[in-house]
Amino acid sequence: MPSEGIASSNPQKSLSLKGFAKRNAEDLLYRGLATRDAGGGIVPLNFVTQKMLDAYEREKKFFRAGKNSREKAKPSAYGADNVRASGQSGLSIGDAARQLKVTVKTVGYLIQHGMLCGVDTSELYRRGATVVTADSLTQFQKNFISLGELAEITQRPQGAFSMKLRNANVALLAMPHDLSRIYWREDVNANRITEK
């Protein structure tokens, strides 16, 4: 029987927030993974799965630990003067997106939520320009890999490769569904995903 283009009427069962996710409900709201219900409570959006909430907890702990170790290693730096003073090089958001094989919108999200270090360089470039530090991009790539990068490495289409990752239970970073897909590199390696 041909499809009439009507979405399935079996919506995903709504999750309730428990444990770590419940304690961080406001951040889930800020991250675009939850919304307020009619009663003012915070509930996950319909695309959020328990697996995504588990990935969210893993990410928060990972980035919190990384931030603390970087803060101890060197004083925090703000703005273009400190990028110049520290000798760090920077990439435009577009260049960072090309290197990660993700959308510009995804890079903006990663900066906004502390997964990449972006500095305001409006003194050096155009007003309101943000540059991603090369160091933060390198650190990010050591731990994460995008679907675009995986497809390029394996020379396979992203759609089919995405299904392979899902079937192998490789978790995505917890981000809204309209952003590029990014995975933990260790999970991809552990599942031998890049092997032909």
Side-chain angles (χ1 to χ4, degrees):
M1 179 183 224
S3 170
E4 308 234 350
I6 300 170
S8 170
S9 61
N10 55 350
Q12 180 179 317
K13 185 180 174 188
S14 180
L15 288 174
S16 61
L17 297 178
K18 300 177 207 147
F20 185 88
K22 188 172 186 173
R23 289 189 304 276
N24 290 276
E26 288 290 337
D27 189 53
L28 286 170
L29 191 66
Y30 177 63
R31 290 262 309 253
L33 301 172
T35 188
R36 290 202 185 276
D37 63 15
I42 297 174
V43 294
L45 291 168
N46 64 351
F47 66 87
V48 175
T49 63
Q50 185 57 51
K51 199 171 176 180
M52 189 178 280
L53 292 176
D54 294 342
Y56 167 78
E57 181 175 356
R58 180 181 179 191
E59 291 156 33
K60 290 299 281 186
K61 290 177 179 178
F62 172 81
F63 285 109
R64 190 177 303 134
K67 185 177 181 183
N68 290 340
S69 64
R70 282 192 302 272
E71 285 171 354
K72 290 174 190 167
K74 62 183 178 182
S76 60
Y78 300 99
D81 291 337
N82 289 313
V83 171
R84 269 189 304 227
S86 67
Q88 288 188 45
S89 58
L91 291 87
S92 71
I93 290 179
D95 288 341
R98 281 186 285 283
Q99 191 166 327
L100 292 173
K101 306 285 188 265
V102 298
T103 64
V104 168
K105 185 176 179 182
T106 301
V107 173
Y109 183 90
L110 295 172
I111 292 169
Q112 180 181 3
H113 297 288
M115 297 177 221
L116 283 174
C117 179
V119 291
D120 179 10
T121 57
S122 54
E123 308 92 51
L124 295 176
Y125 303 105
R126 65 180 169 77
R127 184 176 176 179
T130 299
V131 172
V132 177
T133 62
D135 181 49
S136 76
L137 192 66
T138 300
Q139 290 302 316
F140 187 84
Q141 286 186 294
K142 282 182 184 176
N143 295 291
F144 303 99
I145 188 164
S146 72
L147 180 60
E149 288 177 281
L150 287 167
E152 185 175 272
I153 291 166
T154 60
Q155 297 297 301
R156 294 185 189 164
Q158 287 189 22
F161 207 72
S162 174
M163 292 298 285
K164 182 176 181 175
L165 290 162
R166 188 169 65 190
N167 291 340
N169 285 325
V170 177
L172 290 162
L173 281 184
M175 298 190 302
H177 59 86
D178 61 338
L179 299 176
S180 302
R181 294 177 180 171
I182 300 174
Y183 303 87
W184 287 83
R185 194 173 286 274
E186 67 184 10
D187 292 353
V188 170
N189 293 341
N191 283 286
R192 306 173 92 133
I193 298 295
T194 55
E195 293 178 4
K196 301 231 178 198

